[in-house]
Structures are given as C-alpha cells and as structure tokens.
Amino acid sequence: MLSLPNYEEVAAAAERIRPYAHKTPVLTSRTANEKLGAELFFKCENFQRMGAFKFRGAMNALLQFDEAQKKAGVIAFSSGNHAQAIALAAQLLGIKATIIMPEDAPVAKVNATRGYGADVIHYNRYTEDREQIGRALAEKHGYTLIPPYDHPHILSGQGTAAKELFEEVGELDALFVCLGGGGLLSGCALAARHFAPDCKVYGVEPEAGNDGQQSFRKGEIVRIETPKTIADGAQTQYLGEYTFPIIQNNVDDILTVSDSSLVESMRFFAERMKMIVEPTGCLGFAAVEQLKDELRGKRVGVIISGGNVDISRYAELLSS
C-alpha cells in the first residue's frame, strides 16, 4: 500500500518553498462575475516563476534531495512546464538537470528549459515511452527521476497553490482545477478539504483526453492513447498511483471541455483580463461556463495553471 500525502505535507511544502516560489495573485473580473452570476476568484499561476504552477512541486521535490542525489543530478520527462520547473529549480540549487521532452513540444518551452541550463533529450510522444527512457537513463547515470505528477513531493507542492487561494479569499463553494496527470488536482483537493470541507472540487480535462473522467467513473485507472488536443499540458494517458486515490477520495467530479471552448477562454483572458493563459490553463474557466446555472450566486475558485505558450501559436489560435 502506498503512503498517500495529506494536508500536513502540503503545509510543510508551503513553508519549504516559501523563499523561492512567488505568492501568485488572485484576480477577479466584474465582467466574468456578471456573465456567470457568480463570484469568481482566479488563482493566477501563469505569474508563477517559469510561468506555471509546476515550479511549486519541482522546488519542493529538489529541496528534499540528499547530498548524493544533488551530486548525481535529476532527470525528468515533460511536455514543457514540468521540464522548465525542474530545470529552474535545479539551476537555483546547483543541481545538474536532464529533461526528456517530446519532439513536438512548444518551442518556447524547449528554449526556456535549455535557457535554465538543462540538457534536453527529445522523443516521439506517439511511438516512444518517456518513462522507459527516463528510467533507463536514471539507472545508467545515477540520476534521481522526478516524474511530472505521480510523486508525493510533487503533488504536495502543487497543492500550495490552493492553500494560498483559500488563505486569501476564505471558503469557496466550488473549486475548478486543470487535470492532466493529477498532481495539481490531488494537491489542491487536499487543501480544499482542509479549508472548506463542503467545497465542490472539480477536475477538468480536454474532451479528447478524458482518461481521468473514465477512471473516476470506473473506479480504476484507465489508460488511453496520447490525446490530440491544444491543451498540451493535459496530453497525459493516465492518472498516477498516488494521484488517483487522492482524487477518488477528495474530488466531486471530473468534467471535460472542448478545444474550441479553451480558445474562447483564452480570448476572454486576453481581452478582458489582459493576460496570456495557455490552453491547458483555461480548462477550469471553460468548465465554469458549462456549469453556470448551478454556480449562480456561489463563490467559485479557478486555478489558472500556466501561461507558457508559443506566441505565434497563441496568435494563430485566437485568430481562428
């Protein structure tokens, strides 16, 4: 049996990463509130260091390395945000980082990862197994493998985003969280249950990649083919052994949204709130719009997971 993290580990992570991570802003929008008939609070992790919530978990994990692990280095696999997070955290702590990234990862994310000093190794996400590549290199070189979501230190670190949100705005009636592999959702769910036991917690996936929704309904981890969606941060194939049981026990439902609704949310954030949000970061808000009737009059939290997107791709999506 796995020893699953609890809220106390989220609280410990918050203290551990405090000197390094930004306390990101919580923004509101009168236009969004009027449109949806609810009071919305956006936790803007697009303003986190390296542009996404992933820095929280990465920093929490690397800060717990022993001297031997620091000396040998860290290896990770990621489509982009976890890659940048591990690379930056490693740079700050003087640890060598190697990152396995898909060949079609956004160029901006690859360049940023290299810019933080990491070595990048490419693979084909549709024909190769990134976990197998990572394990083989870790064994060969003595690196410590830190996966993007299925790790107790990672998910505990990610939960600090919701902890900050609840501490700033108080109890919420509902919380919407982007869902890929479940690190952010599981960590945030632990925080939500501590601060607001009656808060409805929703994970949100792209329609093309609803492995989490299938797993939640079936009661066991369901694996799918790599989904084709503009939400590259949610192109995961299955939930983790740590994240799934926490989600089972603490999340109320898992919803899906279309890619077209993500584009509309991107446009809203750009036009009305003057900020760049990547497609994955729009999952939560897109789902709020779907549930606006039952959320009327409620206090609603939305985790915006990140803002790392190629500007040319961003412009292309918004002009379509």
Side-chain angles (χ1 to χ4, degrees):
M1 290 289 290
L2 293 176
S3 177
L4 298 176
N6 53 31
Y7 172 72
E8 285 65 34
E9 289 171 65
V10 175
E15 291 305 311
R16 193 175 292 117
I17 69 175
R18 191 181 303 279
Y20 302 95
H22 293 326
K23 181 182 178 183
T24 52
V26 177
L27 301 183
T28 59
S29 165
R30 186 176 64 179
T31 300
N33 289 351
E34 291 175 351
K35 179 181 179 183
L36 298 169
E39 190 175 8
L40 272 60
F41 301 92
F42 298 96
K43 179 62 170 171
C44 297
E45 287 296 291
N46 50 319
F47 296 126
Q48 185 54 262
R49 292 184 75 161
M50 52 68 47
F53 74 95
K54 292 281 190 178
F55 181 74
R56 296 175 180 272
M59 202 72 214
N60 187 48
L62 267 60
L63 281 168
Q64 296 181 72
F65 273 24
D66 61 28
E67 289 306 315
Q69 289 175 302
K70 291 176 185 177
K71 185 176 180 180
V74 61
I75 189 167
F77 45 80
S78 166
S79 65
N81 283 337
H82 180 63
Q84 293 173 82
I86 290 290
L88 176 56
Q91 182 187 64
L92 292 171
L93 298 175
I95 298 171
K96 172 183 169 58
T98 302
I99 311 295
I100 302 160
M101 301 185 73
E103 294 168 340
D104 61 349
V107 174
K109 294 183 179 183
V110 176
N111 290 342
T113 301
R114 287 194 172 119
Y116 292 132
D119 294 330
V120 174
I121 297 173
H122 284 300
Y123 77 102
N124 186 314
R125 75 162 90 219
Y126 299 104
T127 63
E128 295 181 285
D129 186 338
R130 65 183 189 173
E131 294 188 36
Q132 187 176 46
I133 296 169
R135 286 193 299 268
L137 289 171
E139 186 174 343
K140 180 178 179 181
H141 298 288
Y143 302 146
T144 297
L145 176 63
I146 299 295
Y149 54 86
D150 199 29
H151 191 289
H153 298 165
I154 291 291
L155 72 87
S156 297
Q158 317 306 27
T160 63
K163 178 179 184 292
E164 289 178 5
L165 173 62
F166 282 104
E167 287 174 338
E168 182 165 340
V169 306
E171 289 198 16
L172 296 169
D173 297 303
L175 177 68
F176 289 77
V177 185
C178 315
L179 174 58
L184 181 63
L185 178 57
S186 56
C188 288
L190 292 175
R193 291 295 163 246
H194 174 80
F195 286 98
D198 296 326
C199 176
K200 297 283 188 182
V201 179
Y202 298 99
V204 189
E205 297 177 300
E207 285 179 352
N210 73 332
D211 60 290
Q213 186 183 65
Q214 290 185 55
S215 301
F216 192 76
R217 303 276 193 272
K218 194 172 182 181
E220 63 184 52
I221 296 175
V222 173
R223 295 174 179 243
I224 63 171
E225 294 298 316
T226 300
K228 294 186 178 180
T229 170
I230 63 171
D232 66 283
Q235 284 183 298
T236 47
Q237 295 172 284
Y238 50 89
L239 299 178
E241 292 183 3
Y242 286 97
T243 62
F244 178 59
I246 294 174
I247 289 169
Q248 266 191 309
N249 295 331
N250 297 281
V251 170
D252 291 277
D253 202 3
I254 294 178
L255 312 171
T256 65
V257 297
S258 66
D259 277 8
S260 61
S261 70
L262 295 180
V263 173
E264 288 307 307
S265 294
M266 289 171 65
R267 183 174 286 112
F268 176 86
F269 286 132
E271 292 180 348
R272 306 313 299 253
M273 297 184 71
K274 314 307 176 190
M275 62 182 180
I276 294 175
V277 180
E278 64 186 277
T280 308
C282 295
L283 287 165
F285 183 50
V288 169
E289 298 207 79
Q290 285 186 0
L291 296 188
K292 63 181 181 181
D293 289 340
E294 63 186 80
L295 294 173
R296 196 168 301 280
K298 303 291 180 65
R299 288 168 51 86
V300 180
V302 178
I303 306 289
I304 296 176
S305 62
N308 293 325
V309 58
D310 284 326
I311 291 301
S312 58
R313 177 61 171 154
Y314 180 79
E316 178 188 339
L317 289 169
L318 292 189
S319 63
S320 60

